[in-house]
Every structure is written in C-alpha cells, then in structure tokens.
C-alpha cells in the first residue's frame, strides 16, 4: 500500500509512558494515519458510521482510500431485470456526488456499481475525472442498464492526458461502458496499467496491446459483440481472459502468459478453438474453457498441451453422461495435476456449484486402457 | 555464524536477535546501515510488545528461508501445507491479540515506528475485522472510546450521513 502522508506529526510514543493505564481510550493512542488505514478496510457505510464515535473520528472517514459504492442487495434485483426507478437512480448518483464532495486525500480504489446509462453521462464522467485527480489506483465502473449504454467520451482522453493522477492508475474495469480501442489504448500506453477488464462494450471493434513498454499483466475482454480483431504482443502478460464472438486473434511475444480463459457461444465451429490456443500458447499452465459444445473438447484428439497443469471445463447437466471425451483430453495433457468441472444449467450456474476432481499426481492412469 | 544484534526495550530488557530477522524492520535496517547500531539498539518499545514483534518477524523469516532452499520439485504441495501452517499460526496470533487489546494497539504503534509494513497491514486488517458490522455503541465499548458529542450533535451527524446508518 502506498504510504500516506502523516496527518498529524505527533510522536506516537509520547503516550507510551502511560501504557499501564489500560482503562484509557485504546484507539486514541493511535496516530491518524493508522486509523485511516483501518477505516479504509471497512465498507463505505461502516467507514462513514465511525464519524459518530467521537469528535476525533468525525472527519477521519473522509480520508478513506477505498470508495466502493456498493448498493447492497438491491443490485441483485436489477441483474434479474427489475429496474430501479429514476428516483432510485438519482439517489445513488447523489450519494456518490456527496461522498466525493466531502472526501479528502487520495484514493486507492474507486468503484461504482448500479443501473446507470448514457442518460447519466455527465455525472459518470465527472466521477472518472475526480477519481483520477485523486490518483486512483483501481478504477471500476459496473453498469447494468437496459437503455442506452454510457459511452466513455473520446475527448476525455485529451483532458486526462495532462493530469498527473493518470500515472497512478494500475487497474481499470469498464463493465457496461461503451469504449473504443483507441480509448483503451490511451489507458494502456499512458498509465502503468497492470490489469484491464472490458465487459459488454458494443462499440469496441479492435484492440491492440502491442509494445515492450506495456506492463499489462491481466487482460480480460468479455461479451464485446462487435469485436473483430485483437492483437497482443505484451511481454509482461500473465493472464488473458476472452469470451465473446469469433475474432481474429494475433498473439506473439507473450513469454509469461501461463493462464488463459477462453469462452464463446455454442455455435463455435469445431477446429477453431483448441488448435489456435495450442499454437499460440504452448506454454500454458492453466486453461479455463468456457464452451459447452462437446465438439470443442473432441479437438483435443488432434493436439495437446504439454505443459498444462490445471484445466477447467464447463459441463451442461444434460451432457454429463457423455463425459467420455474427457479421456481424450487427459491423454493429451501429460502433466495435468488438476481438472475442474463446472456444472452449468442452460441459464444459470447451479447454485455456483463447482465439482472438483483432484487428479492423482503422476503418472496419470491411461484413460484408454481403463475405459 | 549468523550476525546477532541486541535490542533493548524501553523497560531495559535485552533481546538477542539475528540480523536477518530484525532487518525486516526498515527502521532498524537503516540504523544498522548508518552504523548507528553498535552495541545495544535502544527501542521505544516495551518488552512485552517487542517479544510479540519478534515472534512475528521470526515467523516471516522462517517462511522466506524455507522458500529459498526449495527446489521446484514438490514445491507446490509444500507451499500448500505451509500456507495452512501460516494460517493456523496467524489465527493463534490474532486470537491472543484480540484477547489483549492493550498489546494489540501497542503492537500497531510499534509496527508503525519500526516500519514493518506487513505487520502493520495485518494488524489494521485485524482491527477492521473487529469493527466491521458493529454499531457505533459496540465499537465505543470495545475500544473504550469516550463519546464526547452531545445527543443533539450525535443526532445531527447521524442525519447527515443517513445512508450509512440504514440497513
């Protein structure tokens, strides 16, 4: 964690002399920066509630480095299609605005999650400016909205370019935010980004993550339905997660990429998944395949992943009796240590249940002789 | 032979410690580098608290040494078992501190003064976990915080941050 400037410069040990008087105010002995460190680990609601403890605590919470505007359980209703009223939306926006107004100091984490869209663009854009001016390290916008999606303004980049706060941004997540490849590349090349996640952006058509200067370690692109092309050449990349339509994927110079998650629709044509993965990522250690089609798994017959240690597969309940194709997979991954099967119904994860089989360590039983 | 240093607590107790263990403290490391640490290193930390600090440092040191000596073979399993051991050790350490809050807060001050970021972060999380989900009155009672607000002032603050007090 970044070291904060001391809020008060008093020597914390001045009061140490009184250490036998355990009846005193215990926390009162701590300097403000430790109390703010503690407060920053609470939820925003819990943090704000400390304002009422005593006069010393009244404003301490406004220095919290974690601003996560979590609406609680109500967000679950919205994901199930029950929309909030416009009044509820303004209430949420006012909440964020009011807290940002009273907030002092810098922010490590800023996260908004609500049913908001393009109609609320001016507020949202302001939040981004404020968070970046407060040297945010992790910025996450999650919008679940049926109406027009919030579009990240292109001109925003020009304004942000001159802000020194942009040099603190290490993690960026746009969920339900329309962005272009140009905007994402602005962040990749102008911030010391470790992680970038883009989900449900319909305006994203191509993305280039190229260059030895990028220190990106985690890249996730999910459900961007108009995406056509992704180019990756990133020496520091450790993890890549792609789910969405069929795209042109160019990958080179990813010596550290050991973790890959790939998913798509059922209509993926056989022969189009495994062999590109194998040719691009022969060094893979962990692979999570989010396809339901049996066809995809049958492709393992033709090629293998010699270094794979952990494989995760999605299984539909209706196909569970036909798991015989697992045999061909096990045969093609000679040093596999762990196989995880995730059981999905047609629409939802069944209670989030994960069936996990720990495979015995070497040598693997020969699947063909045992079947 | 490991280089040993003598740490002197505020109540004049001497602790003999290996350099590697105590160098986790940026404050002491700097003192050693600056050559200020000849003979006994006097610290503004009570013996009871210093013993806890060293308990933490030794545990951390133990872990790093073992990892350095490991070759890759069988490392993963060993790491898993070690993680379990560390969890267990940390739980015990936390429980003792929760039971003696005076030591807990002295330790917080000491970790800050000795510049031990991992311990500071661990302790701040421990206190945050103790505070989480509790109402103001419970927190005041837990840490002997004196409420110096008048009922009117308290009501005004509660009203101002109404969103925080709703379930």
């Amino acid at each position: 964690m970044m070291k904060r400037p001391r809020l008060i410069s008093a020597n914390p040990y001045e009061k140490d002399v009184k250490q036998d008087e355990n009846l005193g105010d215990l926390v009162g002995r701590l300097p403000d920066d430790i109390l703010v460190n503690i407060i920053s680990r609470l939820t925003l609601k819990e943090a704000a509630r400390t304002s009422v403890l005593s006069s010393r605590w009244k404003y301490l919470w406004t220095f919290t480095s974690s601003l996560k505007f979590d609406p609680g359980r109500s967000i679950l209703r919205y994901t199930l299609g029950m929309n909030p009223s416009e009044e509820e939306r303004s209430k949420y926006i006012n909440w964020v605005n009011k807290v940002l107004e009273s907030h002092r100091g810098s922010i490590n984490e800023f996260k908004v999650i609500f049913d908001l869209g393009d109609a609320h663009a001016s507020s949202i854009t302001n939040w981004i400016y404020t968070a970046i001016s407060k040297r945010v390290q992790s910025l996450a916008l999650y919008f679940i909205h049926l109406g027009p999606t919030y579009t990240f303004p292109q001109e925003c980049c020009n304004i942000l370019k001159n802000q020194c706060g942009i040099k603190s941004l290490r993690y960026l997540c746009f969920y339900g935010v329309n962005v272009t490849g140009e905007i994402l590349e602005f962040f990749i090349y102008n911030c010391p980004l470790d992680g970038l996640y883009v989900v449900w952006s319909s305006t994203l058509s191509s993305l280039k993550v190229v260059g030895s200067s990028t220190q990106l370690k985690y890249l996730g692109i999910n459900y961007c339905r108009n995406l056509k092309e992704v180019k990756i050449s990133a020496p520091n990349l450790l993890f890549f997660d792609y789910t969405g339509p069929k795209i042109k994927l160019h990958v080179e110079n990813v010596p550290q990429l050991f973790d890959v998650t790939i998913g798509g629709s059922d209509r993926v044509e056989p022969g189009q998944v495994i062999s590109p993965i194998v040719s691009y990522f022969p060094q893979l250690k962990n692979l999570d395949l989010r396809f339901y089609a049996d066809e995809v798994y049958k492709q393992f017959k033709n090629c293998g992943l010699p270094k794979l240690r952990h494989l995760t597969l999605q299984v539909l309940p209706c196909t569970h009796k036909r798991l015989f194709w697992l045999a061909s997979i096990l045969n093609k991954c000679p040093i596999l240590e762990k196989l995880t099967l995730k059981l999905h119904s047609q629409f939802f994860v069944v209670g989030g249940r994960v069936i996990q089989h720990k495979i015995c360590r070497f040598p693997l039983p020969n699947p063909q002789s045992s079947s | 032979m490991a280089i040993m240093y003598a740490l002197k607590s505020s109540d004049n107790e001497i602790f003999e410690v290996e350099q590697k263990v105590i160098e986790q403290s940026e404050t002491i490391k700097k003192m050693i580098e600056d050559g200020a640490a000849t003979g006994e290193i006097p610290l503004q930390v009570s013996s009871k608290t210093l013993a806890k600090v060293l308990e933490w440092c030794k545990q951390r040191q133990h872990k790093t040494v073992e990892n350095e000596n490991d070759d890759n073979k069988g490392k993963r399993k060993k790491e898993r078992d070690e993680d379990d051991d560390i969890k267990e050790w940390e739980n015990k350490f936390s429980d003792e501190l929760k039971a003696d809050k005076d030591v807990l807060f002295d330790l917080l001050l000491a970790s800050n003064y000795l510049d031990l970021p991992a311990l500071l972060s661990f302790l701040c999380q421990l206190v945050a976990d103790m505070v989480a989900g509790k109402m103001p009155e419970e927190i005041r009672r837990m840490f002997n915080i004196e409420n110096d607000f008048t009922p009117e002032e308290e009501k005004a603050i509660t009203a101002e941050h109404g969103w925080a007090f709703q379930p």
Side-chain angles (χ1 to χ4, degrees):
Chain A
M1 209 180 109
M2 246 173 57
K3 244 193 143 164
R4 296 176 148 266
R6 274 284 170 85
L7 304 177
I8 52 164
S9 55
N11 174 2
Y13 275 84
E14 273 169 14
K15 291 178 183 171
D16 206 32
V17 195
K18 294 194 291 181
Q19 93 194 90
D20 288 328
E21 304 174 16
N22 3 345
L23 293 172
D25 177 348
L26 286 167
V27 219
R29 284 187 281 162
L30 301 178
D32 285 359
D33 53 353
I34 293 189
L35 294 183
V36 170
N37 189 335
I38 294 167
I39 290 172
S40 300
R41 292 161 194 271
L42 299 171
T43 67
L44 195 53
K45 276 187 174 188
E46 286 164 347
R49 281 207 293 260
T50 64
S51 61
V52 84
L53 290 176
S54 77
S55 53
R56 165 135 196 241
W57 290 80
K58 193 173 173 187
Y59 298 110
L60 278 178
W61 78 275
T62 63
F63 289 91
T64 181
S65 64
S66 164
L67 293 180
K68 292 194 269 187
F69 294 91
D70 183 357
R73 253 184 258 162
S74 58
I75 198 71
L76 196 65
R77 289 200 337 250
Y78 311 146
T79 53
L80 294 174
M82 291 154 78
N83 303 326
S85 62
E86 208 45 53
E87 195 190 331
E88 281 174 280
R89 290 196 183 101
S90 341
K91 207 174 139 193
Y92 183 85
I93 292 172
N94 286 338
W95 175 35
V96 180
N97 287 342
K98 216 176 146 215
V99 171
L100 278 179
E101 249 170 58
S102 58
H103 186 267
R104 292 176 248 188
S106 54
I107 313 175
N108 284 346
E109 253 189 300
F110 180 86
K111 177 178 166 187
V112 279
I113 170 166
F114 207 69
D115 180 324
L116 297 176
D118 219 34
H120 319 96
S122 66
S123 300
I124 298 169
T125 307
N126 265 330
W127 298 341
I128 299 171
Y129 285 142
T130 311
I132 290 186
S133 73
K134 284 176 171 286
R135 298 196 292 275
V136 69
Q137 292 178 31
S138 163
L139 175 66
L141 308 174
Y142 289 85
F143 299 129
I144 299 142
H145 190 61
L146 284 179
T149 307
Y150 168 71
T151 300
F152 188 92
Q154 186 83 44
E155 62 272 18
C156 221
C157 297
N158 290 329
I159 298 167
L160 291 175
K161 204 169 186 169
N162 300 316
Q163 287 211 18
C164 57
I166 199 99
K167 295 286 174 223
S168 302
L169 195 62
R170 303 191 78 95
Y171 176 84
L172 182 61
C173 173
F174 287 130
Y175 188 111
V177 174
N178 277 341
V179 286
T180 61
E182 219 176 308
I183 292 170
L184 296 179
E185 286 155 30
F186 164 79
F187 283 104
I188 293 169
Y189 299 120
N190 287 285
C191 311
L193 269 196
D194 282 338
L196 173 66
Y197 253 87
V198 187
V199 187
W200 298 113
S201 170
S202 57
T203 48
L204 185 65
S205 62
S206 76
L207 177 66
K208 261 194 247 170
V209 186
V210 177
S212 52
S213 64
T214 146
Q215 60 180 69
L216 204 65
K217 294 191 181 77
Y218 308 93
L219 175 64
I221 306 166
N222 288 182
Y223 311 111
C224 296
R225 59 189 159 90
N226 293 313
L227 190 62
K228 303 276 182 298
E229 192 169 8
V230 175
K231 249 186 190 162
I232 302 174
S233 167
N236 296 306
L237 200 66
L238 304 173
F239 176 79
F240 176 58
D241 173 355
Y242 179 79
T243 298
K246 192 183 142 195
I247 51 163
K248 273 192 205 158
L249 182 66
H250 313 270
V251 183
E252 55 176 40
N253 190 21
V254 284
Q256 302 197 62
L257 185 60
F258 296 129
D259 274 80
V260 169
T261 297
I262 301 274
S265 65
D266 293 357
R267 283 165 293 167
V268 174
E269 293 157 47
Q272 279 177 343
V273 181
I274 300 305
S275 35
I277 290 177
V278 172
S279 60
Y280 280 136
F281 316 113
Q283 77 273 32
L284 268 197
K285 286 184 183 164
N286 299 309
L287 176 64
D288 185 346
L289 284 177
R290 301 199 172 157
F291 297 97
Y292 302 130
D294 293 3
E295 286 301 321
V296 174
Y297 305 126
K298 284 180 196 158
Q299 294 169 33
F300 271 98
K301 270 187 181 160
N302 305 320
C303 39
L305 283 158
K307 303 205 170 148
L308 200 66
R309 288 179 185 274
H310 183 189
L311 178 66
T312 306
L313 301 168
Q314 318 282 320
V315 191
L316 285 169
C318 56
T319 60
H320 74 281
K321 283 184 184 149
R322 294 186 279 142
L323 289 180
F324 56 82
W325 42 258
L326 275 176
S328 61
I329 295 177
L330 297 184
N331 224 9
K332 292 292 181 177
C333 306
I335 62 164
L336 198 70
E337 288 175 359
K338 199 168 155 190
L339 173 68
T340 305
L341 297 180
K342 285 188 179 170
L343 185 63
H344 279 231
S345 80
Q346 292 283 2
F347 303 102
F348 298 110
V349 179
V350 183
R353 232 167 77 209
V354 175
I355 305 174
Q356 217 174 58
H357 291 276
K358 274 198 182 162
I359 296 189
C360 61
R361 300 184 135 248
F362 336 90
L364 272 178
N366 184 342
Q368 274 162 349
S369 63
S370 57
S371 62
Chain B
M1 238 317 258
I3 302 169
M4 303 294 281
Y5 278 89
L7 307 179
K8 193 165 117 185
S9 68
S10 57
D11 47 349
N12 297 325
E13 204 172 306
I14 303 289
F15 291 81
E16 291 273 339
V17 196
E18 258 185 66
Q19 179 174 358
K20 272 193 177 162
V21 171
I22 200 58
E23 267 193 343
Q24 291 175 54
S25 154
E26 287 298 324
T27 309
I28 296 179
K29 193 177 171 188
K30 231 176 151 258
M31 285 164 96
I32 294 173
E33 281 167 1
D34 293 349
T38 47
E40 289 161 3
I41 305 177
L43 297 173
Q44 290 297 311
V45 182
S46 72
S47 54
K48 196 174 168 189
T49 308
L50 191 53
K52 278 273 167 215
V53 169
L54 296 176
E55 204 182 311
W56 167 271
C57 289
K58 278 176 192 159
Q59 166 69 20
R60 302 281 293 191
Q61 175 62 18
H62 186 61
K63 195 196 161 200
T64 20
V65 170
E66 275 196 1
N67 280 354
E68 274 169 16
N69 294 344
D70 267 337
D71 54 0
N72 270 333
K73 207 177 168 189
K75 189 173 169 184
R76 280 154 169 265
K77 192 183 177 306
K78 205 168 171 195
E79 266 174 16
R80 268 199 298 276
D81 293 346
E82 258 175 32
D83 285 349
D84 289 346
D85 288 351
I86 290 166
K87 264 258 122 58
E88 202 176 301
W89 184 89
E90 284 181 349
N91 285 342
K92 203 177 140 255
F93 193 69
S94 306
D95 287 344
E96 284 167 16
L97 292 174
K98 278 191 219 165
D100 191 344
K101 294 192 198 82
D102 211 31
V103 173
L104 168 60
F105 289 108
D106 270 343
L107 200 53
L108 260 167
L109 287 171
S111 64
N112 197 37
Y113 160 66
L114 295 171
D115 201 356
L116 288 159
L119 178 59
L120 180 65
S121 161
F122 176 82
L123 296 171
C124 284
Q125 189 59 52
L126 180 64
V127 179
D129 291 343
M130 289 164 83
V131 169
K134 300 224 167 43
M135 288 319 274
E137 198 40 57
E138 288 174 88
I139 301 171
R140 283 193 203 109
R141 227 179 303 133
M142 188 160 54
F143 299 132
N144 291 333
I145 299 170
E146 192 198 334
N147 179 7
D148 56 356
F149 289 125
T150 64
E152 291 75 31
E153 283 172 327
E154 192 176 333
K155 215 174 150 188
I157 299 168
T158 313
E160 196 190 334
H161 311 308
W163 54 270
F165 294 90
Q166 284 157 12

